[in-house]
């Protein structure tokens, strides 16, 4: 398994949707691409389908398969089972009750049971997905659930790490205003990792990280590590553009201090070029690799184990990052400002070959 402190090249994967054949294909594809962290949903309402009844088959298989493959886990634990919400919510439909805060104590107890069963085998437990988009909970509701989840996990497996919900965005108009800020500030001490998404192309993503996310963390004094655990751009028939975005967003995140970068998604969900969910994958729905899969695999193999050692970017809009280990210096550079043209750079090195 990857070591603590190592930058983790990660992938989202919807294992639970697939039959055995596709499950194994996905696992082999991730091994071949040097994936070190997989984010997968663990459905509370599926596992604990009644207050005292559990189904463990899927989760057991996933843990065993990933551990055997040397891939760490980021488990996103949701949605809420019907029996766990107040009675006046249970008849309002799945899209409401499954996204409503459970009755006090229930989420924490489930996380305690989950972490006990998989003690030492799951690295990250994520408390819900994109809670800042939900209209069915308040900030106070989410902070209570996060605190319960944190205390439940730590009671059973103190070495496991608890992440905030993967916040959808700081600036998207659909998110709850100040939700992320308030959670980071008011729930301090009840999360180990600050998780966020921020979908979109490189320019948008880089601007949000530099001008919104990192300044917010500094203002609040947040010292917990951060990572983007679901971020993407849709190919939509532009596979080369997607591949370039894979290269840029991953290495930019690494250079800005992210602990990991988890691409969404391994496999596209269909074949309609006009449906974004059918274009996010680095592999087609038929498990054929796209350009982005090759780029991800190359980065995850070449940059494994290196550390970020500074930025050499000469002008705004031009990026040059230096990475190294005890035997290699790696330079990653690209130009986002075509008007500047080609900019020669001279770099001093102690290398004897290239």
């Amino acid at each position: 398994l990857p070591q603590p402190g190592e930058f983790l090249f990660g992938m989202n994967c919807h294992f639970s949707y697939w039959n055995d054949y596709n499950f194994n294909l996905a696992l082999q594809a991730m091994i071949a691409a040097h994936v070190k962290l997989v984010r997968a949903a663990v459905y509370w309402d599926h596992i604990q389908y009644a207050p005292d009844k559990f189904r463990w088959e899927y989760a057991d298989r996933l843990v065993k398969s990933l551990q055997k493959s040397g891939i760490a886990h980021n488990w996103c634990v949701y949605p809420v089972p019907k029996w766990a919400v107040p009675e006046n919510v249970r008849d309002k439909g799945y899209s409401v009750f499954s996204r409503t805060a459970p009755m006090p104590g229930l989420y924490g107890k489930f996380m305690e049971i989950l972490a006990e069963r998989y003690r030492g085998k799951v690295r990250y437990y994520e408390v819900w997905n994109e809670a800042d988009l939900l209209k069915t909970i308040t900030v106070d509701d989410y902070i209570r659930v996060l605190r319960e989840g944190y205390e439940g996990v730590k009671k059973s497996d103190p070495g496991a790490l608890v992440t905030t919900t993967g916040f959808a965005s700081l600036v998207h108009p659909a998110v709850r205003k100040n939700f992320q800020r308030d959670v980071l500030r008011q729930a301090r001490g009840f999360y180990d990792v600050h998780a966020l998404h921020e979908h979109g192309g490189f320019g948008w993503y880089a601007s949000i990280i530099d001008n919104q996310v990192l300044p917010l963390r500094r203002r609040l004094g947040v010292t917990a590590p951060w990572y983007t655990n679901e971020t993407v751009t849709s190919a939509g028939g532009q596979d080369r553009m997607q591949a370039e975005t894979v290269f840029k967003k991953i290495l930019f995140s690494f250079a800005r201090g992210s602990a990991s970068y988890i691409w969404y998604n391994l496999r596209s969900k269909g074949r309609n070029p006009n449906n974004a969910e059918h274009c996010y994958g680095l592999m087609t729905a038929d498990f054929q690799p796209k350009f982005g899969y090759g780029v991800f695999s190359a980065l995850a193999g070449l940059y494994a184990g290196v550390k970020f050692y500074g930025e050499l970017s000469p002008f705004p809009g031009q990026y040059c990052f230096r990475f190294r280990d005890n035997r290699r210096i790696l330079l990653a550079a690209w130009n986002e400002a075509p008007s500047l043209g080609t900019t020669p750079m001279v770099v001093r090195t102690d290398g004897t070959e290239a």
Side-chain angles (χ1 to χ4, degrees):
L1 289 170
Q3 298 302 306
E6 176 184 349
F7 180 82
L8 300 181
F9 290 83
M11 193 75 70
N12 279 267
C13 194
H14 295 294
F15 286 106
S16 61
Y17 296 173
W18 304 336
N19 58 28
D20 290 350
Y21 179 75
N22 287 338
F23 183 102
N24 290 325
L25 278 180
L27 193 61
Q28 292 304 313
M30 287 195 294
I31 293 171
H34 311 291
V35 171
K36 290 300 182 182
L37 177 63
V38 65
R39 179 175 181 256
V42 175
Y43 297 107
W44 179 16
D45 59 349
H46 171 81
I47 292 178
Q48 192 178 10
Y49 60 96
D52 57 352
K53 295 182 179 180
F54 298 84
R55 283 185 291 240
W56 295 108
E57 294 83 5
Y58 161 70
D60 284 350
R61 182 188 182 193
L62 184 58
V63 167
K64 183 177 180 180
S65 298
L66 291 176
Q67 194 168 40
K68 184 178 179 181
S69 303
I71 300 174
H73 313 233
N74 179 144
W75 272 9
C76 184
V77 186
Y78 76 114
V80 182
K82 190 173 184 177
W83 59 264
V85 299
E87 289 189 12
N88 65 333
V89 180
R90 295 176 189 176
D91 295 329
K92 293 187 177 182
Y94 183 81
S95 64
V96 175
F97 73 70
S98 67
R99 294 168 173 85
T100 296
M103 292 182 288
L106 296 180
Y107 189 82
K109 184 60 180 178
F110 177 70
M111 294 293 270
E112 179 185 341
I113 293 169
L114 195 66
E116 174 63 31
R117 187 176 184 88
Y118 302 115
R119 184 199 303 264
K121 298 177 180 179
V122 174
R123 179 171 295 186
Y124 299 103
Y125 290 90
E126 180 183 352
V127 180
W128 287 22
N129 178 56
E130 295 186 337
D132 51 338
L133 287 176
L134 302 181
K135 309 302 183 186
T136 49
I137 61 169
T138 65
V139 170
D140 289 342
D141 287 333
Y142 178 72
I143 290 173
R144 172 177 65 79
V145 172
L146 177 59
R147 179 170 182 164
E148 282 188 19
Y150 182 90
E151 292 176 339
V153 168
K154 296 298 183 178
K155 183 175 181 179
S156 293
D157 189 357
L161 301 176
V162 176
T163 87
T164 65
T165 183
F167 295 105
S169 179
L170 268 174
V171 298
H172 194 282
V175 303
R176 306 277 290 279
K177 187 176 181 180
N178 295 328
F179 191 100
Q180 186 170 173
R181 181 202 67 185
D182 292 345
V183 171
L184 291 176
R185 181 170 56 194
Q186 297 176 35
R188 192 187 308 272
F190 294 102
Y191 57 88
D192 299 305
V193 180
H194 170 201
L196 57 143
H197 292 177
E198 298 296 352
H199 295 298
F202 172 72
W204 164 268
Y205 177 79
S207 176
I208 296 302
I209 296 299
D210 279 349
N211 300 319
Q212 300 286 340
V213 173
L214 297 182
L216 174 66
R217 287 171 53 84
R218 287 193 292 268
R219 287 197 303 272
L220 298 179
V222 175
T223 58
W226 68 276
Y227 65 29
T228 44
N229 68 355
E230 182 193 310
T231 183
V232 73
T233 191
S234 173
Q238 302 181 60
D239 290 356
R240 178 172 176 173
M241 175 275 294
Q242 185 187 51
E244 291 175 353
T245 303
V246 170
F247 181 88
K248 295 173 183 178
K249 289 179 77 171
I250 289 177
L251 293 180
F252 175 84
S253 300
F254 195 166
R256 288 297 188 263
S258 179
S260 176
Y261 185 100
I262 308 179
W263 184 268
Y264 183 89
N265 200 0
L266 174 67
R267 178 197 186 197
S268 292
K269 293 183 179 180
R271 301 171 179 82
N272 181 356
N274 298 314
N275 184 324
E277 285 285 352
H278 292 196
C279 302
Y280 290 147
L282 296 185
M283 306 186 84
T284 68
D286 303 313
F287 282 102
Q288 297 300 308
K290 294 154 67 175
F291 296 147
Y293 177 87
V295 171
F296 182 99
S297 178
L299 289 179
L302 184 63
Y303 285 78
V306 303
K307 302 292 184 182
F308 174 65
Y309 269 84
E311 186 169 357
L312 307 175
S313 306
F315 299 106
Q318 294 183 326
Y319 296 88
C320 183
F321 300 127
R322 181 176 63 165
F323 304 87
R324 70 178 301 166
D325 57 18
N326 58 8
R327 63 185 182 85
R328 299 175 299 160
I329 297 175
L330 304 176
L331 297 179
W334 66 91
N335 186 8
E336 294 289 315
S339 62
L340 294 176
T342 301
T343 304
M345 294 183 64
V346 179
V347 180
R348 184 187 298 274
T349 174
D350 58 359
T352 57
E353 62 180 1

